[in-house]
Amino acid sequence: MADAAPAAVGTGIVGRPTDPIVAPGIDGVPPADAAAALHGRPVRRGLPRRPGGASWPPAGFAPVAGAPESAVEASAPVTAEAHTAIAGLDRAAVEAQVDGAPAPEASASTRVSVRRALAAVGLVLGAAAVVLVARWLRTLDGVQEFLIAYPGEAPMPEGAPVGFPAWLAWQHFFNVFLMVLIVRSGWQVRRERRPAAYWTPRWNPARKIGLNLWFHQSLDLLWLVNGVVFAVLLFATGQWMRIVPTSWAVVPNAISAGLQYASLDWPTENGWVHYNGLQQLAYFATVFVAAPLAVITGVRMSGLWPARATALSRIYPVELARVIHFPVMLYFIAFVVAHVALVLATGALRNLNHMYGGQDAVDWVGFAVFAVSLLVIAAAWVAARPLVLAPIAGLFGRVSNR
């Protein structure tokens, strides 16, 4: 007769290696009943605690109080080796808990923090390497000759306008205002699991979308209208000549300007008259490439796309639109960050006067207007929440919480 009844595997309390452990399914006892009687019910296993690991908790049985003695006595003993293996598995689980092993969520959070820190360090080191290489290149005779031949200023067509009209300054503000809210609402739509509220249009009661998605698509429509007005005025006033390349000389001049920026020895800034080659290519790509891509992909993903256009939908599937739309958003974010950084680093007061003050001067007028515009954008950012959006959305449809 055994000294003590064998311990259940799932409890983490084990007997001596010589204690007999029964094997179910012997001497007429059904396997499932014997296992349940001795060990309890099988433990429900979940996801691994770390990537690539085994499912957690370990395989075993939950203990059951008052196990029938008949099931134990009817079972045959297992070898000492099997007992040791099971005990070792259970002891490892107990030690992991006693030693205060971090929870899976904490471990994942730590790994994310480490990755972010490493990414930040990598960006700083990469930027420093770019600056050092660019400054070294500028010491080479061939590169110096290239910079003299192509100083960075792309030639402008004859009759190109000088300065910035008032409508362009207003368009610039509206564009920034809408883009900030579009990016914010788009990111919310991408991350939300269940919308806080829903919107149903009056003209299509069968359609229902999240309130954030309604806000995002409404901003898209306003941004599209603003863009059409901008394009019409751009070509009507000749301002297009400032951002549309009209000579292949823009390419080497853009390379020259990029090298000068990278070496932290800025190219000559004269935006009131014309942009340098790199600015011109960047503005052209933003206005005439990235913006149309955002519109085309956004329409495909919205309710404006005709549901019955099956042939057109096969040619242009929504999956393709999603693949393009998100990187375009990332491009706009990168463009805005780089644009604002260079505006502030290459003569903030003069540059802000160009776009917000309507003058080529170095004073605080443009900065003051810019500061007010930031306050307006910040207020809109804070106000863009369901409590404020729901009454506005209710003017164009029905808002519900499910």
Side-chain angles (χ1 to χ4, degrees), residues 279-291:
Q279 289 173 319
Q280 193 174 49
L281 289 180
Y283 296 148
F284 175 82
T286 302
V287 174
F288 296 105
V289 179

Side-chain angles (χ1 to χ4, degrees), residues 72-346:
V72 177
E73 294 174 353
S75 302
V78 177
T79 62
E81 290 79 3
H83 184 284
T84 304
I86 297 173
L89 175 64
D90 213 30
R91 186 178 296 110
V94 174
E95 290 174 354
Q97 296 176 3
V98 173
D99 292 342
E105 294 79 4
S107 299
S109 176
T110 302
R111 287 194 296 270
V112 170
S113 300
V114 171
R115 283 198 294 268
R116 288 177 177 174
L118 292 176
V121 173
L123 285 175
V124 172
L125 294 178
V130 169
V131 172
L132 292 176
V133 171
R135 296 186 73 87
W136 170 76
L137 287 174
R138 295 192 62 168
T139 63
L140 303 179
D141 294 338
V143 174
Q144 292 178 2
E145 294 173 0
F146 174 80
L147 293 177
I148 293 173
Y150 299 100
E153 298 176 356
M156 298 288 292
E158 197 159 330
V162 175
F164 298 94
W167 68 264
L168 192 57
W170 280 102
Q171 282 283 321
H172 190 266
F173 164 72
F174 287 141
N175 190 58
V176 174
F177 176 84
L178 292 172
M179 281 187 64
V180 169
L181 296 180
I182 285 173
V183 170
R184 177 180 184 265
S185 59
W187 186 253
Q188 287 177 322
V189 170
R190 185 178 178 87
R191 291 181 59 87
E192 71 180 354
R193 294 284 182 256
R194 183 179 182 276
Y198 295 89
W199 177 80
T200 302
R202 292 195 181 96
W203 56 90
N204 187 7
R207 181 170 179 257
K208 181 185 292 186
I209 60 176
L211 187 61
N212 280 330
L213 182 56
W214 169 84
F215 185 49
H216 182 72
Q217 293 183 355
S218 301
L219 292 169
D220 286 341
L221 288 176
L222 293 176
W223 185 67
L224 178 59
V225 171
N226 186 65
V228 171
V229 173
F230 172 78
V232 170
L233 293 175
L234 196 69
F235 286 98
T237 61
Q239 288 287 332
W240 66 270
M241 289 182 279
R242 296 172 62 92
I243 63 174
V244 177
T246 56
S247 170
W248 284 107
V250 69
V251 175
N253 276 289
I255 296 173
S256 172
L259 182 59
Q260 294 176 65
Y261 281 126
S263 65
L264 301 183
D265 188 1
W266 313 122
T268 302
E269 184 65 36
N270 195 16
W272 186 256
V273 178
H274 57 73
Y275 296 125
N276 62 50
L278 188 60
Q279 289 173 319
Q280 193 174 49
L281 289 180
Y283 296 148
F284 175 82
T286 302
V287 174
F288 296 105
V289 179
L293 280 177
V295 172
I296 294 171
T297 55
V299 169
R300 179 62 183 93
M301 297 162 57
S302 72
L304 298 176
W305 187 262
R308 298 181 179 179
T310 54
L312 189 58
S313 296
R314 283 196 303 268
I315 297 173
Y316 182 27
V318 68
E319 292 78 12
L320 177 61
R322 291 195 183 102
V323 168
I324 298 174
H325 196 73
F326 185 67
V328 170
M329 184 197 75
L330 296 180
Y331 168 81
F332 276 113
I333 294 175
F335 173 81
V336 170
V337 171
H339 177 61
V340 172
L342 289 176
V343 164
L344 298 178
T346 60

Side-chain angles (χ1 to χ4, degrees), residues 9-10 43-45 49 54-61 89-90 92-94 97:
V9 174
V43 173
R44 184 177 179 181
R45 306 180 71 191
R49 300 185 67 177
S55 298
W56 183 262
F61 296 89
L89 175 64
D90 213 30
V94 174
Q97 296 176 3

